[in-house]
Amino acid sequence: MGMKIVIAGAGDMGYHLAKQLSFDNKDIVMIDTDKDVLDNVSSHLDVLTIVGDSTSLEVLKNAGVNDAHMVMAVTTSEKSNIVTAALAKQLGATRVIARVRNHDYLDPDHEVYFKNIGIDNIISPTMLCSKEIKRMLKNSSFTDVFEFEEGKLNVVGITLDQYSSLVNKAISEMSNNPIFNDIKIIAIVRDQMTIIPRGSTIIRNNDHVFFISNKQAVESILELLGQKEVTIKNVMIIGGDDMAYATALKLENFYRVTLVHKDKERCKWLSERLDNTLVINGDYKNIDLLVEEGLEQMEAFISVTESSETNIITSLTAKNHGVYKTIAHVDTREYIHISHSIGVDSLINKKLVAANQITRFLRKGNVEAVSGIYGVDAEFVQYVITKNNRLTRKALKDLHFPESAMVAGVIRGDQVFIPDGEFVMQIDDKAIVFALPAAKNPLEKLFH
């Protein structure tokens, strides 16, 4: 039997968690009060479902939380999540996580209260998402940025246009450029398909390309592509709910922030709590108003209203008005996959951000950490080489790696390597492997 996991709440976040975890043949039980939602989940994923309220002891016992490795309470009700998690712990679950909304709960000093009632981690999609937005602005040339080992290795994504020096070249043609000692192309998203490149792969116009690099080399990627770095000073946020508030709070001490929201009372509330943000009451669908409020002077535009459509459309409009970087929050899974092809720089979805964070808590043993990339079917898995075997005796190119995976980076103590085919791994190396779902089982065999 594999790890047993119970997920309460089969909405977008629960679904995404179940999907990420079902790759790994874990036993997953999902609880939700809505039978239709559960039927939809079980038709797509290999999970057991239980209709019922997860705050009921009987339902939790039926779900078998007593021997669950992890229970994640991610329903839309914060109170249900707290009760579910606390009860699951009492019933014997090893680790429990509750999704919360309240800013007050997230204060590090308050962590102890949750620990006392048995909740191991609380997680707030909104807060994680605002953190992610801040990171995207910091690395504004790229649409996606992931850090491993506190940033020793970075993965960045960027959409290539026809002016890029890489377009219409095969990967093998580029490898003699010395820049490629420190960076490597690990994935290409083309027409919603994820390609793990080989030497013969040719890069095309409009490909969304992911590079891995060591800390110093992020600059060389821009140099290689001939992109110029733009400094972001002025940021416009549209929307006024929790997400907009959390984002403004995170950004206002680093940038000049203007926030536009349509509800007058809420604008008062916001301006009392935000010290350095200019809060404007107005209809953000009215582009003339946004232009009056300085849209054309903005380097970044962040749309976090409650409507995904509004967010996408206003971001595209901002792009047309010369804004360098746009980030749109979208709520539905369907939009994530099309993001790179419709021209918004970066799409973000708080439930996916949170699900990625939770799956990190799960990896134990040889697999250290995992993270996914929006709209990409592959994910990173870290393995630690624990004993001498053929992995430490042969060069990577002779290991018969599955086609759908590659070693993207290797961390050896304080050193970071971006390996080529000649690279040989050593004991205690941490290998960061980028893999499509099909490669999961062959990789397990290789690394164990």
Side-chain angles (χ1 to χ4, degrees):
M1 290 295 273
M3 259 194 186
K4 180 163 176 200
I5 291 171
V6 178
I7 302 175
D12 267 346
M13 188 170 161
Y15 180 91
H16 189 76
L17 280 167
K19 183 176 165 203
Q20 281 190 339
L21 299 169
S22 62
F23 284 147
D24 306 339
N25 316 328
K26 296 189 169 26
D27 301 318
I28 299 170
V29 182
M30 284 195 102
I31 307 171
D32 201 286
T33 48
D34 184 334
K35 184 180 182 308
D36 294 343
V37 172
L38 286 175
D39 288 346
N40 176 42
V41 171
S42 52
S43 67
H44 289 93
L45 304 174
D46 178 21
V47 296
L48 278 171
T49 58
I50 293 181
V51 181
D53 179 342
S54 61
T55 60
S56 131
L57 283 164
E58 191 189 353
V59 169
L60 288 172
K61 283 177 182 159
N62 284 344
V65 297
N66 57 311
D67 59 358
H69 288 78
M70 186 180 273
V71 175
M72 311 175 201
V74 295
T75 74
T76 47
S77 154
E78 175 176 76
K79 293 190 172 54
S80 295
N81 294 341
I82 292 172
V83 173
T84 299
L87 289 175
K89 189 68 162 201
Q90 303 287 317
L91 289 169
T94 313
R95 184 160 189 182
V96 300
I97 291 181
R99 167 189 178 174
V100 301
R101 279 214 175 85
N102 187 334
H103 282 253
D104 191 33
Y105 286 162
L106 297 159
D107 183 327
D109 302 343
H110 297 167
E111 212 177 339
V112 57
Y113 303 140
F114 290 94
K115 291 269 188 286
N116 289 345
I117 56 170
I119 298 176
D120 299 297
N121 301 94
I122 58 170
I123 194 156
S124 154
T126 303
M127 293 304 275
L128 287 168
C129 206
S130 60
K131 239 193 194 136
E132 185 85 357
I133 289 174
K134 183 177 171 185
R135 210 174 53 165
M136 285 173 157
L137 286 187
K138 206 176 88 195
N139 300 290
S140 59
S141 312
F142 302 108
T143 52
D144 320 73
V145 181
F146 299 88
E147 296 177 346
F148 289 94
E149 297 286 311
E150 286 84 60
K152 281 188 192 141
L153 276 175
N154 292 294
V155 170
V156 299
I158 195 159
T159 305
L160 300 185
D161 55 27
Q162 72 270 29
Y163 307 113
S164 166
S165 56
L166 302 186
V167 167
N168 297 333
K169 288 203 179 107
I171 294 213
S172 52
E173 283 175 54
M174 310 170 193
S175 48
N176 48 17
N177 182 335
I179 283 183
F180 279 94
N181 297 339
D182 295 325
I183 63 179
K184 179 173 176 177
I185 294 176
I186 54 164
I188 298 169
V189 176
R190 181 182 299 163
D191 305 328
Q192 301 181 35
M193 283 281 298
T194 303
I195 302 163
I196 302 248
R198 296 282 168 246
S200 57
T201 308
I202 294 177
I203 300 215
R204 299 281 179 224
N205 182 19
N206 228 1
D207 277 356
H208 194 72
V209 178
F210 289 90
F211 294 87
I212 189 161
S213 76
N214 59 26
K215 204 178 200 147
Q216 297 73 33
V218 175
E219 304 300 302
S220 356
I221 297 174
L222 293 175
E223 187 185 317
L224 174 75
L225 299 175
Q227 308 275 88
K228 56 179 189 308
E229 184 79 83
V230 170
T231 310
I232 291 182
K233 298 190 185 81
N234 302 290
V235 179
M236 183 177 276
I237 298 175
I238 64 165
D241 67 0
D242 224 26
M243 182 82 196
Y245 171 58
T247 305
L249 211 51
K250 280 237 182 345
L251 300 181
E252 65 173 7
N253 295 329
F254 303 93
Y255 306 98
R256 282 205 288 274
V257 179
T258 304
L259 182 148
V260 183
H261 186 54
K262 49 182 196 257
D263 179 79
K264 196 164 186 173
E265 283 307 302
R266 179 69 175 174
C267 282
K268 274 198 186 123
W269 185 94
L270 288 164
S271 57
E272 280 161 17
R273 283 166 181 78
L274 293 165
D275 301 331
N276 297 328
T277 298
L278 174 61
V279 177
I280 289 169
N281 175 218
D283 179 6
Y284 39 66
K285 285 189 180 142
N286 174 354
I287 296 303
D288 296 337
L289 170 92
L290 297 183
V291 171
E292 265 165 51
E293 297 304 341
L295 179 65
E296 290 169 342
Q297 282 72 57
M298 299 291 161
E299 288 88 26
F301 181 87
I302 299 167
S303 43
V304 284
T305 77
E306 57 286 355
S307 150
S308 302
E309 286 79 1
T310 301
N311 294 343
I312 288 175
I313 290 163
T314 48
S315 287
L316 290 173
T317 310
K319 226 33 209 163
N320 289 339
H321 280 265
V323 177
Y324 170 67
K325 175 80 181 175
T326 59
I327 300 173
H329 184 266
V330 293
D331 235 348
T332 46
R333 291 193 291 272
E334 288 65 50
Y335 283 128
I336 296 281
H337 271 284
I338 60 171
S339 67
H340 298 314
S341 53
I342 57 180
V344 177
D345 296 321
S346 303
L347 286 195
I348 187 163
N349 173 308
K350 63 181 181 193
K351 291 157 187 156
L352 292 190
V353 172
N356 281 339
Q357 178 71 26
I358 292 181
T359 46
R360 280 193 192 144
F361 293 142
L362 264 176
R363 311 293 169 149
K364 289 272 188 314
N366 288 3
V367 179
E368 287 242 328
V370 157
S371 58
I373 301 182
Y374 306 120
V376 176
D377 302 320
E379 56 178 13
F380 295 98
V381 190
Q382 284 191 23
Y383 294 96
V384 181
I385 313 281
T386 50
K387 50 182 185 295
N388 279 316
N389 54 20
R390 66 194 178 116
L391 286 177
T392 54
R393 285 197 281 273
K394 288 183 166 182
L396 288 180
K397 64 177 178 12
D398 304 323
L399 283 174
H400 303 300
F401 239 67
E403 277 289 290
S404 47
M406 71 149 67
V407 177
V410 174
I411 293 170
R412 181 176 294 165
D414 287 333
Q415 287 176 291
V416 175
F417 300 95
I418 307 288
D420 59 8
E422 304 301 326
F423 189 87
V424 180
M425 294 192 276
Q426 297 178 7
I427 206 156
D428 290 335
D429 278 0
K430 258 184 206 176
I432 296 177
V433 178
F434 191 61
L436 285 162
K440 281 282 168 67
N441 289 337
L443 283 175
E444 289 295 315
K445 290 195 184 77
L446 257 176
F447 280 94
H448 289 299

